[in-house]
């Protein structure tokens, strides 16, 4: 490591802001005058609270914009909307300590995530406004999140209760994710890999649910740029030296007649480093290319996420994309510590989107993995003679894939109490980044990667709270999200090796144990595996299921499977109208009724 990059917006368009709307009873002659100051103070308190606690995933501070005046009627609501438009507001939060006129003061933008905090007080009950305003939003088909504190506060109390603060942050982070994705691109580098349906870029899904556009580049573009030298040659030499100094080769498990020579492996390193530079430049552009005379290429595709097909059209002849994907999705490279990229292996667009959700919600690198094998306690004992105990006693799920397992997922970084962690890049130290590198080996690609290359090999450390998630598309239903919160575990070395070698010892392994509830898909570990809707999953650090549920409801994507505690579920108030005894069914009915966000 030689530098830590400052937070920067590497995509086109300003970062979305959060708009705070102070709502008052507009009746002048004593009522409004008694409320203006208290209401504006409430708005300022919320703005400070959010700005002090949240950052964008690129590390930039979250800015809050407050309406110039309190809003007591439609004219002031219109002035506020115009200010928000000019300021680039993408999320709105209305606050009030009193009764106001709902339809005259509401935020009517159909594409903007919106929440209302109605102060729980008795002098000028904001809760009455909250109930009336959410009713108006529901009737007009504009779902809003209702925030109502559990305990009564005194009028003028500027503190934000803990339960209110938790909902404000959960809503704001998910809302910023919605606003950040809007107008950005998903770049498919190649097409469909090995017949995997998730590779098909469903433009209707991207446009109607995410507000994103799709961009496409044939993999031959990599060949063109390599042969014509359309990359920063100075950076290439810097990257190659960094690789030689930091990327240790691991075991070559290929039979003798398939092992590549030292000269071939050295050339593979040259190629995969060039591929990494080229993929990054295709996503976000590079002004250095304009200096080389390639102005069009210098612009990039404004891609907030991308995927690389690789197999088999590329990997039958060229080195695989594993190094490229792993380094881009990590929080560091030869230029130092920086924001991870979202890159999906095999161009699984749906897993790429799920990774993007996780990165926007956690600000940290994501893990792409096959949901490969459920190992029951009996099967492990039969294969190794070892009986699983502790957190793994009910069985484990083997998460493993040669593709973009970010090096952060070694777990070599540490949290506040010294525990293994995956952290936002701005919290990562140079020594932690180096530790992640040191915990990783780069194994020569196995035999079905006929063009060679290298795959990461590490084992994720135990004890990390994680959330496994995946979006699936279902005919007649549309997109559906599923997730499982749980923990990473480790096995004794000899047990790990025995199980790992039955799959692929040259790939990174994460042993995952979901948190069980005893019901439905979470009655046991086998049921989690058996109910998973695809061969792939994206994994985020932390138990972020509640945040994912909130984000999904904003986009109108129902959630078919989750183990999120009820107290962490936060959806628009309208969802209650679709049934309170069956929240999962109500979620499906509400999403179907309101339709995608950008319909």
């Amino acid at each position: 490591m030689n530098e830590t990059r400052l937070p920067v917006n590497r995509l086109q368009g300003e970062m979305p802001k959060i708009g705070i709307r102070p709502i008052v009873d507009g009746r002048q002659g004593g009522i409004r005058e008694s409320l203006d100051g208290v209401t504006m103070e409430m708005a300022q308190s919320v703005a400070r609270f959010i700005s002090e606690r949240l950052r964008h995933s690129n590390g930039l501070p979250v800015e809050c914009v407050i309406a110039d005046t309190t809003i007591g009627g439609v004219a002031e609501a219109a002035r506020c909307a115009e200010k928000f438009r000019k300021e680039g507001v993408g999320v709105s939060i209305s606050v009030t300590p009193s009764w106001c006129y709902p339809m005259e003061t509401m935020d009517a933008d159909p594409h903007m995530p919106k929440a209302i905090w109605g102060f729980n007080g008795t002098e000028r009950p904001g809760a009455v406004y909250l109930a009336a305003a959410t009713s108006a939003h529901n009737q007009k088909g504009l779902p809003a999140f209702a925030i109502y504190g559990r305990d009564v506060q005194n009028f003028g109390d500027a503190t934000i209760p803990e339960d209110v603060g938790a909902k404000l942050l959960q809503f704001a982070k998910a809302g910023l994710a919605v606003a950040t994705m809007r107008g950005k691109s998903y770049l498919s580098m190649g097409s469909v890999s090995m017949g995997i349906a998730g590779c098909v870029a469903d433009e209707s899904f991207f446009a109607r649910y995410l507000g994103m556009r799709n961009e496409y580049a044939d993999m031959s573009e990599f060949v063109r740029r390599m042969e014509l030298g359309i990359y920063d040659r100075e950076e290439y030499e810097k990257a190659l030296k960094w690789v030689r100094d930091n990327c240790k080769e691991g075991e070559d498990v290929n039979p003798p007649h398939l092992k590549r020579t030292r000269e071939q492996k050295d050339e593979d390193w040259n190629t995969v480093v060039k591929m990494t530079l080229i993929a990054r430049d295709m996503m976000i552009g590079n002004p250095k290319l304009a200096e080389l005379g390639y102005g069009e290429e210098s612009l990039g595709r404004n891609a907030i996420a991308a995927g690389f097909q690789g197999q088999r059209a590329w990997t039958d002849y060229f080195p695989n994309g594993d190094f490229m994907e792993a380094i881009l999705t990590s929080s560091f490279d030869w230029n130092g510590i920086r924001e991870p990229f979202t890159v999906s292996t095999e161009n699984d667009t749906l897993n790429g989107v799920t990774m993007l959700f996780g990165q926007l919600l956690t600000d940290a690198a994501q893990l792409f993995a096959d949901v490969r094998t459920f190992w029951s306690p009996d099967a492990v004992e039969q294969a190794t003679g070892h009986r699983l105990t502790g957190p793994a006693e009910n069985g484990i799920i083997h998460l493993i894939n040669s593709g973009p397992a970010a090096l952060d997922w070694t777990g070599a970084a540490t949290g506040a109490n010294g525990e293994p962690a995956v952290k936002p890049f701005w919290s990562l130290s140079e020594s932690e980044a180096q530790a992640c590198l040191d915990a990783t080996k780069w194994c020569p690609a196995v035999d079905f990667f006929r063009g060679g290359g290298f795959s990461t090999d590490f084992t994720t450390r135990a004890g990390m709270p994680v959330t496994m998630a995946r979006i699936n598309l279902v005919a007649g239903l549309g997109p559906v999200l599923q997730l499982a919160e749980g923990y990473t575990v480790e096995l004794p070395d000899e047990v790990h090796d025995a199980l790992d070698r039955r799959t692929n010892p040259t790939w990174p392994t994460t042993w995952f144990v979901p948190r069980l509830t005893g019901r439905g898909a979470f009655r046991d570990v086998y049921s989690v595996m058996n109910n998973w809707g695809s061969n792939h999953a994206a994994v985020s650090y932390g138990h972020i299921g509640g945040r994912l549920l909130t984000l999904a409801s904003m986009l109108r994507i129902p959630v078919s499977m989750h183990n999120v505690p009820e107290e962490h579920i936060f959806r628009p108030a309208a969802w209650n109208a679709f049934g309170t005894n069956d929240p999962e069914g109500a979620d499906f009915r509400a999403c179907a009724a309101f339709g995608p966000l950008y319909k």
Side-chain angles (χ1 to χ4, degrees):
M1 300 297 104
N2 53 19
E3 67 176 283
T4 300
R5 292 190 181 179
L6 294 173
V8 63
N9 178 15
R10 61 194 180 197
L11 297 169
Q12 303 303 310
E14 297 296 320
M15 299 307 299
K17 300 173 184 176
I18 296 178
I20 312 295
R21 307 174 73 253
I23 312 297
V24 296
D25 186 330
R27 291 174 288 186
Q28 298 185 16
I31 296 179
R32 177 167 187 160
E33 290 81 355
S34 69
L35 294 168
D36 270 340
V38 172
T39 306
M40 188 58 76
E41 184 179 7
M42 190 177 177
Q44 292 165 347
S45 177
V46 169
R48 284 193 304 272
F49 179 83
I50 291 174
S51 296
E52 289 171 358
R53 289 164 175 79
L54 293 185
R55 292 197 199 189
H56 293 286
S57 61
N58 58 19
L60 290 171
V62 171
E63 295 183 54
C64 292
V65 176
I66 302 175
D68 291 331
T69 67
T70 54
I71 300 169
V74 66
E76 290 155 330
R79 284 201 291 267
C80 175
E82 180 63 12
K83 178 178 183 178
F84 284 5
R85 184 188 66 80
K86 290 179 179 178
E87 293 276 355
V89 167
V91 184
S92 83
I93 301 175
S94 299
V95 300
T96 185
S98 70
W99 163 256
C100 313
Y101 296 175
M103 290 196 297
E104 295 181 16
T105 58
M106 66 190 294
D107 169 13
D109 187 328
H111 295 151
M112 190 176 296
K114 46 185 64 61
I116 307 166
W117 176 22
F119 186 81
N120 186 359
T122 56
E123 294 87 346
R124 296 277 189 181
V128 178
Y129 171 79
L130 175 62
T134 52
S135 174
H137 279 82
N138 297 349
Q139 191 167 332
K140 290 178 174 290
L142 300 170
F145 289 76
I147 300 175
Y148 178 53
R150 176 173 293 275
D151 298 318
V152 173
Q153 294 178 261
N154 295 325
F155 185 73
D157 184 350
T159 61
I160 297 177
E162 184 177 351
D163 61 330
V164 171
K167 288 184 175 180
L168 283 170
L169 294 178
Q170 185 162 321
F171 166 81
K173 194 61 176 171
L176 286 170
V178 171
T180 301
M181 288 187 288
R182 187 177 182 184
K184 306 301 191 302
S185 304
Y186 179 95
L187 172 61
S188 291
M189 298 179 288
S191 183
V192 176
S193 174
M194 301 182 292
I196 298 172
C199 305
V200 178
D202 188 304
E203 294 219 3
S204 177
F205 164 65
F206 276 92
R208 299 178 72 223
Y209 285 90
L210 309 179
M212 290 175 60
R213 65 193 305 156
N214 293 87
E215 290 290 309
Y216 305 89
D218 191 88
M219 289 185 294
S220 63
E221 179 65 4
F222 283 85
V223 180
R224 185 180 79 92
R225 294 194 185 205
M226 285 191 289
E227 291 188 351
L228 297 181
I230 309 175
Y231 54 87
D232 184 339
R233 287 78 176 281
E234 291 183 4
E235 185 181 1
Y236 166 68
E237 294 297 335
K238 177 182 180 181
L240 203 57
K241 182 181 184 306
W242 181 85
V243 165
R244 290 169 181 154
D245 292 342
N246 293 282
C247 296
K248 301 173 294 185
E249 287 189 21
E251 181 182 10
D252 188 341
V253 300
N254 291 296
H257 69 285
L258 292 179
K259 290 183 188 292
R260 296 169 74 79
T261 66
R262 184 67 259 167
E263 291 76 17
Q264 286 176 312
K265 290 177 181 178
D266 289 342
E267 186 56 36
D268 287 349
W269 278 118
N270 296 342
T271 300
V272 297
V273 170
K274 291 175 186 176
M275 289 169 62
T276 307
L277 295 174
I278 290 168
R280 180 203 63 195
D281 293 350
M282 289 169 66
M283 289 181 70
I284 64 171
N286 186 344
K288 290 284 188 179
L289 303 186
E291 298 175 13
L292 297 173
Y294 295 98
E296 182 180 357
E297 291 84 349
S298 73
L299 299 175
R301 304 297 185 100
N302 201 32
I304 195 172
F308 180 70
Q309 175 193 334
Q311 299 187 71
R312 287 181 42 207
W314 181 267
T315 57
D316 276 2
Y317 188 64
F318 291 102
N320 64 17
D322 293 2
F323 175 84
M324 170 187 72
E325 295 159 358
I327 289 298
L328 287 175
T329 57
S330 297
S331 298
F332 49 85
D333 59 20
W334 41 86
N335 290 316
I337 297 171
R338 48 96 177 121
E339 179 190 4
F341 290 82
T342 296
V343 182
S344 173
T345 199
E346 295 159 4
N347 192 33
D348 185 342
T349 66
L350 297 179
N351 221 54
V353 167
T354 313
M355 291 172 70
L356 178 59
F357 284 4
Q359 184 168 335
L360 292 173
L361 293 174
T362 66
D363 308 323
Q366 302 295 294
L367 175 75
F368 182 113
D370 280 357
V371 185
R372 182 60 69 100
T373 310
F374 163 67
W375 280 99
S376 69
D378 290 343
V380 171
E381 188 169 23
Q382 183 179 24
T384 69
H386 174 79
R387 189 72 183 179
L388 296 175
T389 59
E393 65 181 353
N394 296 311
I396 51 179
I397 294 176
H398 196 178
L399 302 178
I400 183 171
N401 189 288
S402 69
L407 273 57
D408 303 63
W409 280 84
T410 58
T414 55
N417 299 314
E419 74 280 9
V422 179
K423 308 197 295 194
F425 74 92
W426 60 80
S427 298
L428 196 69
S429 69
E430 289 193 11
S431 61
E432 288 175 318
Q434 188 63 51
C436 292
L437 276 165
D438 293 342
T440 304
K441 291 183 179 178
W442 299 87
C443 297
V446 291
D447 53 2
F448 54 77
F449 291 126
R450 299 172 183 172
F454 299 90
S455 300
T456 50
D457 180 25
F458 62 76
T459 304
T460 302
R461 291 180 63 191
M464 297 201 297
V466 299
T467 303
M468 181 173 78
R470 166 77 183 187
I471 290 176
N472 296 299
L473 290 179
V474 179
L477 178 61
V480 182
L481 177 69
Q482 56 182 174
L483 64 91
E485 295 182 341
Y487 294 88
T488 61
V489 297
E490 290 182 77
L491 305 177
D493 288 345
E494 65 278 10
V495 178
H496 167 88
D497 290 342
L499 302 184
D500 203 36
R501 287 188 176 277
R502 290 179 57 142
T503 301
N504 193 312
T506 70
W507 292 355
T509 281
T510 301
W511 297 109
F512 173 67
V513 174
R515 189 178 64 240
L516 302 178
T517 65
R519 302 186 306 276
F522 292 92
R523 62 181 174 272
D524 51 36
V525 180
Y526 168 80
S527 297
V528 175
M529 176 79 179
N530 196 41
N531 282 279
W532 204 252
S534 174
N535 55 312
H536 291 156
V539 187
S540 301
Y541 178 78
H543 288 160
I544 66 160
R547 282 177 263 177
L548 281 166
L549 263 62
T550 295
L551 173 58
S553 68
M554 291 177 177
L555 300 170
R556 321 288 196 260
I557 298 174
V559 180
S560 62
M561 170 181 165
H562 74 81
N563 57 346
V564 179
E566 184 177 353
E567 60 269 23
H568 295 160
I569 299 175
F570 188 34
R571 289 174 168 136
W575 267 234
N576 294 329
F578 293 87
T580 56
N581 289 328
D582 175 21
E584 186 172 289
D587 181 36
F588 275 81
R589 292 187 289 273
C591 289
F594 288 109
L597 182 58
Y598 304 104
K599 57 181 178 291

